[in-house]
Amino acid sequence: MVTTVLAVAASAAPAPPPSLAARFSPVAGPAVGFRAHCWITAKMKLHKALGRHGWQVQRKLDIRGDETGGETANTSSVMSDNSIDDKGLLHLGLNNSEADRPVLEEDLVLFDNFNDQPESVPSLCIAVIGATGELARSKVFPALFALYYSGFLPQNVAIFGYSRKTLADEDLRSMIESNLTCRVDHHENCEDKLNEFLKRTYYVDAGHDNKDGMAKLNLRMTQIEGTCAANRIFYLAVPQEALLDVALPLSDIAQTKHGWNRIIIEKPFGFTSLSSQRVTQSLLSRFEEKQIYRIDHLLGKDLIENLTVLRFSNLVFEPLWSRKYIRNVQVVFSEETSTETQGRYFGNYGIIRDIVHSHILQTIALFAMEPPVSLDGEDIRDEKVKVLRSIRKVDIDDVVLGQLKNTCGKVDQYTKSMTPTYLAAAMYIDNARWDGVPFLIKTGMGLMENRAEIRIQFHHVPGNIYRERFGHDIDLDTNELVLRDLPEEAILLKVNNKVPGLGLQLDASELNLLYRDRYDVEVPDSYEHLLLDVLDGDSHLFMRSDELAAAWSVLAPILHEIDQKRVAPELYEAGDKGPINAYYLAAKHGVRWDDGC
């Protein structure tokens, strides 16, 4: 019989007791071991997490015996009505073996209150490799702090910066502090939270050899973790050419043996299909597929997440999502400025490898996929890869390349090459749902406005008796659904409507949902969204290895033909709409671009 170690209160109190000591009765027994200390601490974190996320709780705790048929006793404690899965336990630094074993006398630890937990023992360590780079300083560290401030990271998380510069902990903290800001909509205890976060931030000098550097990182993490189970996330904010130099010694030396390990890799994912395949093979020789998260911050936008929500949770749209009703789909992503493209970016990779390979093709895959079995990341990625494998070989005549004119010093450094800064193309998906529907993509830098949207144009109404009321421009009566992220988040539905008054004059009007009018909240940065997904083990917005290969199978023939035929990009002015040939391409496939860009 398992010894009962929790005393049930004689009468149920309407509010939780002020301290943990009130919940537990002292039990004589052997000294508390460190493993038991870790287990109880993790349980406390579980309670705090349940309360923080607003889950319904009940005062019930099942104390199980061993798997060979031990007895079960029910006592009083604060637990969730929901079952706690393995991922949730690991999220809190608790593994299966520790979660399922019975509570014994020697496990009992008394704290006066939750704040008495030893905060120096983290349940999660996050290492930012390339910590002194622009990406880490301006995006990654601010996103981590935003998650910490909002309560999405464990209270006792530890953050590590890793690079080859000789710095101390305080140097890193001073470097990143200016970029750390609190939410506009809740500034409570901002200064305190900022100081707490900085105190949990440490620096590791990699030196000139990543093997030695990773050994230092592992030692520093181990010292702070102690003997408690802890998970580790490694954000590899390094250039592609340095990826394997960092990832391989990391896999051998810096992974924890007492929890899960996850690595985050930044786009672009390779320069050619062959180089990407070699990198993938090297990574998979050291890591499991489920450990690898290929991040594209553009996929962390609400526009992308809303694709599946809008379609699969609204009966009005799901039946229309096929060639029977949809005439064409336009995916547009443009930026006014080219500040992020300076230096090596366009001189080496260009718009196709960077934006089209990941963001555009992933958007098309999420839009066009069949309903997944569930919202599980693997089920969604299974459907995405089917779409990518179904994309027809793109004809070079259906591709328009563009490049910014060399009009100022800022663009001079990357417009000396033939690398395109603009692409428009027509793609077709050869499956039963989308056969014959053109997917027109357009993306570029230095254009007239920042724009990110998906525009769905529906077929004309068969035998439309009101057609003559629109005059000769048949496109005026085309219904459209627009999902927009930039210039402002919105969902727009273009419908035909009678103009009020005498007579019968028709007009195409927009039913609009502007997020700024409907939702008075600050929109989190896309890095926050994706980092939280990594923490939760949600992989649906990250490219799996087979998705990566399928995307390369679409673009590699195009890149090869461009190189073989020396296809010269059409020059366009900064702030312009882009190459004029993009409009001829759209007309060829029966599509008219919106005039925005």
Side-chain angles (χ1 to χ4, degrees):
M1 177 78 66
V2 177
T3 304
T4 302
V5 297
L6 303 178
V8 181
S11 60
S19 67
L20 288 178
R23 256 184 237 158
F24 297 97
S25 297
V27 178
V32 177
F34 211 123
R35 176 178 170 179
H37 168 269
C38 296
W39 185 82
I40 293 294
T41 301
K43 281 294 186 184
M44 300 310 159
K45 294 177 201 166
L46 176 59
H47 296 167
K48 292 176 72 175
L50 296 177
R52 182 177 67 229
H53 292 290
W55 295 347
Q56 295 297 319
V57 298
Q58 65 178 12
R59 299 180 59 79
K60 179 178 179 181
L61 173 64
D62 293 333
I63 303 178
R64 295 187 178 89
D66 57 36
E67 295 180 357
T68 59
E71 295 177 314
T72 300
N74 292 330
T75 62
S76 176
S77 183
V78 178
M79 290 297 291
S80 170
D81 284 336
N82 304 63
S83 60
I84 309 301
D85 58 14
D86 295 347
K87 182 174 70 176
L89 292 167
L90 287 178
H91 175 91
L92 297 166
L94 190 62
N95 60 36
N96 267 342
S97 62
E98 292 172 328
D100 292 334
R101 70 185 185 86
V103 179
L104 303 177
E105 288 182 341
E106 57 266 30
D107 290 335
L108 187 60
V109 178
L110 300 182
F111 300 112
D112 289 338
N113 53 53
F114 285 124
N115 294 325
D116 287 340
Q117 298 177 59
E119 297 290 355
S120 61
V121 184
S123 59
L124 176 68
C125 287
I126 301 175
V128 182
I129 314 299
T132 57
E134 177 64 23
L135 172 64
R137 289 185 287 110
S138 63
K139 295 294 184 180
V140 181
F141 283 114
L144 289 173
F145 173 64
L147 292 175
Y148 179 81
Y149 178 79
S150 299
F152 288 105
L153 294 183
Q155 181 64 24
N156 47 358
V157 67
I159 310 293
F160 296 84
Y162 174 101
S163 80
R164 291 186 172 180
K165 292 187 177 181
T166 303
L167 300 173
D169 292 346
E170 286 301 326
D171 297 326
L172 177 65
R173 293 165 185 169
S174 298
M175 182 184 300
I176 67 175
E177 184 176 5
S178 61
N179 291 323
L180 305 183
T181 57
C182 294
R183 287 265 183 259
V184 172
D185 54 356
H186 55 283
H187 267 85
E188 296 85 354
N189 302 320
C190 180
E191 192 67 27
D192 292 340
K193 285 287 187 179
L194 179 61
N195 291 332
E196 289 175 13
F197 180 81
L198 291 174
K199 287 178 181 178
R200 300 180 186 281
T201 304
Y202 310 94
Y203 182 76
V204 175
D205 182 356
H208 298 289
D209 186 344
N210 279 315
K211 290 184 179 179
D212 294 337
M214 289 299 166
K216 294 178 187 176
L217 177 62
N218 181 64
L219 178 61
R220 193 80 187 272
M221 286 181 165
T222 303
Q223 288 173 341
I224 292 177
E225 290 168 348
T227 58
C228 286
N231 306 311
R232 294 180 182 179
I233 293 175
F234 301 89
Y235 195 119
L236 276 56
V238 298
Q240 285 294 301
E241 53 268 23
L243 177 61
L244 292 181
D245 290 339
V246 171
L248 298 186
L250 186 160
S251 67
D252 294 334
I253 302 170
Q255 295 194 82
T256 180
K257 303 297 192 297
H258 306 290
W260 48 251
N261 298 274
R262 293 169 186 162
I263 64 168
I264 304 173
I265 301 171
E266 271 282 348
K267 67 176 179 67
F269 308 117
F271 190 78
T272 65
S273 176
L274 181 59
S275 67
S276 177
Q277 182 181 5
R278 287 173 177 169
V279 170
T280 297
Q281 289 175 344
S282 295
L283 291 174
L284 291 179
S285 69
R286 307 295 182 91
F287 299 96
E288 297 180 47
E289 180 69 60
K290 66 181 180 180
Q291 292 180 265
I292 304 172
Y293 290 77
R294 298 176 179 88
I295 191 171
D296 178 352
H297 72 279
L298 297 174
L299 296 175
K301 300 287 188 179
D302 282 329
L303 166 68
I304 302 301
E305 196 72 70
N306 218 10
L307 276 176
T308 52
V309 174
L310 192 72
R311 175 183 170 188
F312 296 127
S313 68
N314 292 285
L315 183 60
V316 67
F317 293 124
E318 170 57 19
L320 307 181
W321 227 256
S322 72
R323 62 187 178 89
K324 183 176 180 181
Y325 295 101
I326 293 179
R327 182 171 142 211
N328 66 76
V329 179
Q330 302 170 34
V331 180
V332 177
F333 178 80
S334 66
E335 290 190 353
E336 293 178 356
T337 62
S338 54
T339 54
E340 294 184 3
T341 66
Q342 296 181 22
R344 69 172 188 87
Y345 177 77
F346 275 122
N348 291 279
Y349 289 94
I351 200 79
I352 299 176
R353 293 177 175 90
D354 186 74
I355 302 296
V356 179
H357 179 263
S358 178
H359 176 59
I360 299 296
L361 290 185
Q362 283 288 295
T363 300
I364 291 175
L366 284 164
F367 177 92
M369 70 180 185
E370 295 298 313
V373 175
S374 73
L375 291 178
D376 179 77
E378 294 308 309
D379 290 335
I380 293 176
R381 299 204 288 189
D382 287 343
E383 298 303 329
K384 285 196 297 175
V385 75
K386 292 176 185 177
V387 173
L388 295 174
R389 288 172 177 168
S390 299
I391 295 178
R392 184 190 306 172
K393 183 179 183 297
V394 180
D395 193 318
I396 194 64
D397 293 333
D398 287 336
V399 175
V400 174
L401 302 177
Q403 188 182 75
L404 274 171
K405 283 186 178 180
N406 182 11
T407 56
C408 65
K410 288 185 178 180
V411 296
D412 177 61
Q413 55 187 314
Y414 57 79
T415 54
K416 292 178 180 179
S417 70
M418 297 281 283
T419 307
T421 61
Y422 176 100
L423 174 89
M427 296 183 175
Y428 288 85
I429 300 172
D430 288 334
N431 63 22
R433 181 181 291 271
W434 298 110
D435 186 28
V437 178
F439 283 74
L440 272 289
I441 65 175
K442 181 167 62 171
T443 180
M445 302 294 174
L447 297 173
M448 66 183 299
E449 69 174 345
N450 293 323
R451 194 171 189 192
E453 71 176 27
I454 302 166
R455 183 174 294 267
I456 302 109
Q457 292 187 342
F458 295 93
H459 287 296
H460 302 297
V461 176
N464 191 346
I465 59 177
Y466 290 103
R467 180 173 177 176
E468 62 183 24
R469 301 291 176 173
F470 288 98
H472 298 290
D473 194 347
I474 191 174
D475 282 330
L476 286 178
D477 70 344
T478 299
N479 297 129
E480 290 183 340
L481 175 64
V482 182
L483 311 179
R484 179 175 294 162
D485 181 69
L486 294 172
E488 59 181 352
E489 288 186 280
I491 299 175
L492 311 172
L493 180 62
K494 180 181 173 183
V495 298
N496 299 319
N497 177 57
K498 177 187 176 298
V499 177
L502 300 176
L504 189 58
Q505 182 181 355
L506 300 189
D507 180 42
S509 305
E510 285 184 344
L511 305 179
N512 63 68
L513 168 61
L514 297 179
Y515 278 48
R516 59 176 168 80
D517 294 338
R518 180 66 178 84
Y519 305 107
D520 185 21
V521 295
E522 184 181 2
V523 178
D525 184 77
S526 57
Y527 279 93
E528 296 175 43
H529 183 175
L530 295 173
L531 283 170
L532 184 59
D533 281 352
V534 174
L535 181 62
D536 291 339
D538 184 350
S539 59
H540 81 282
L541 292 176
F542 302 86
M543 295 181 75
R544 201 167 58 190
S545 295
D546 54 349
E547 287 184 83
L548 188 66
W552 273 113
S553 69
V554 173
L555 297 180
I558 300 174
L559 292 167
H560 178 73
E561 199 161 358
I562 290 172
D563 291 339
Q564 288 293 312
K565 295 183 177 181
R566 300 288 296 171
V567 179
E570 179 184 341
L571 296 179
Y572 62 94
E573 299 278 356
D576 201 354
K577 294 183 179 181
I580 191 66
N581 281 330
Y583 293 88
Y584 294 116
L585 171 66
K588 173 183 173 181
H589 294 274
V591 178
R592 183 167 70 177
W593 294 113
D594 183 71
D595 291 334
C597 61

